[in-house]
Amino acid sequence: MNNERMLLAAEMGGQIVEKQTDVKNHRLCQVLCAITALGLVTFASYLLLGQLGVLSSKQKTALIVKSAQGQGVGDLPAEPLNDDLPRLMNVVGKAPKKIAVHLTASLNTRGKKKVTWQRKGGLPSGVEFKDNGLVIRIPGRYFVYTQVVFYSRGCQNKPIYLSHELYKLSTSIRTKTTLLSTMKSTCHSVQHGDPWYKTTYQGATFEFVGGDHIFSRVGGNEVHYVNTEVGKSYFGLFAL
């Protein structure tokens, strides 16, 4: 009987020890799982903050390097991330922001076959005034604009058509490219002798290479309608 009790106690004790060991292993597994989940949540939070722009570029670079540990050297980024996407899109180049030119219609335009542009003072380096147009010397992205105000009195019982064009001559291929163009008509309901006014404004952003020649032109038959008062008709550009 004693031997049987001892055997029974040994068997029951062994089961208790095994159960305690299983419980400890189960708790250890839960702790490890919790730590792993917390790490994943932290990593996901950093990625989300990085996408929202909260983290600096250095923090994002360090995070990527840490996440890539254990991989080959070739898998790591060669340089910090650059969030300045518009800068990457400047294929032609990026012109200095100080370049800005504003021309006005000359008072001597009336009686001529084209609008004569003029500017008080010198021009910034990077742009040249030549043949009544602007020559780009530093390639990059520019905003080009032009406005012409037409006015007169009476219409001689027929409509008047007014054309205004912004175009480019490329030195590399020597071709004319129309950038912007507009046409308006007037005198449909103007009484004899009454004054009339028409304004055309055009402006847009373009990429230019060195040597591109930009012009603002009015149709030869409409030049004498151009208003050359200060601030009425102008042509210019500035670098972005």
Side-chain angles (χ1 to χ4, degrees):
M1 294 294 293
N2 292 334
N3 293 335
E4 292 177 357
R5 291 178 179 177
M6 292 177 62
L7 291 173
L8 179 60
E11 292 175 357
M12 294 180 64
Q15 293 177 357
I16 293 173
V17 172
E18 292 176 356
K19 290 182 178 180
Q20 291 177 348
T21 302
D22 292 340
V23 171
K24 291 181 179 180
N25 291 337
H26 181 67
R27 290 180 178 176
L28 180 60
C29 182
Q30 287 181 332
V31 172
L32 292 177
C33 290
I35 293 175
T36 302
L38 181 60
L40 292 175
V41 171
T42 303
F43 180 71
S45 300
Y46 268 78
L47 289 180
L48 179 60
L49 292 175
Q51 292 292 330
L52 294 176
V54 177
L55 294 177
S56 64
S57 59
K58 293 183 179 179
Q59 289 175 313
K60 290 187 286 185
T61 303
L63 180 62
I64 293 176
V65 172
K66 289 182 179 180
S67 65
Q69 288 180 351
Q71 300 179 2
V73 177
D75 297 332
L76 295 178
E79 60 183 8
L81 294 179
N82 187 356
D83 289 337
D84 194 5
L85 294 180
R87 184 177 301 173
L88 297 178
M89 295 170 63
N90 288 346
V91 180
V92 176
K94 188 172 182 62
K97 293 184 178 180
K98 293 183 179 180
I99 295 179
V101 179
H102 184 79
L103 308 176
T104 59
S106 171
L107 296 176
N108 298 324
T109 293
R110 283 184 172 271
K112 296 185 178 181
K113 295 183 178 181
K114 65 179 181 180
V115 177
T116 304
W117 303 106
Q118 62 181 4
R119 182 180 188 274
K120 294 181 179 180
L123 292 173
S125 60
V127 179
E128 178 185 352
F129 183 72
K130 181 179 179 181
D131 297 333
N132 206 38
L134 296 173
V135 181
I136 305 296
R137 295 304 181 190
I138 298 180
R141 182 177 297 177
Y142 293 78
F143 183 83
V144 187
Y145 61 90
T146 179
Q147 173 177 291
V148 174
V149 175
F150 300 92
Y151 87 102
S152 185
R153 287 181 176 273
C155 298
Q156 299 178 356
N157 299 321
K158 64 179 181 179
I160 298 175
Y161 297 96
L162 308 168
S163 63
H164 180 201
E165 180 185 25
L166 185 71
Y167 68 93
K168 174 186 70 173
L169 285 179
S170 299
T171 56
S172 58
I173 54 179
R174 301 303 303 174
T175 57
K176 174 183 173 182
T177 302
T178 301
L179 302 178
L180 299 170
S181 179
T182 184
M183 178 173 286
K184 292 188 175 184
S185 61
T186 186
C187 289
H188 294 286
S189 58
V190 176
Q191 300 296 325
H192 181 72
D194 289 344
W196 57 263
Y197 294 87
K198 285 290 181 179
T199 301
T200 64
Y201 175 86
Q202 303 176 83
T205 301
F206 301 95
E207 289 275 5
F208 296 121
V209 299
D212 283 346
H213 204 161
I214 316 302
F215 298 88
S216 176
R217 188 186 71 87
V218 173
N221 295 328
E222 301 93 57
V223 173
H224 62 281
Y225 295 121
V226 175
N227 190 337
T228 57
E229 294 179 5
V230 177
K232 299 294 185 179
S233 302
Y234 48 80
F235 163 46
L237 58 78
F238 57 85
L240 299 177

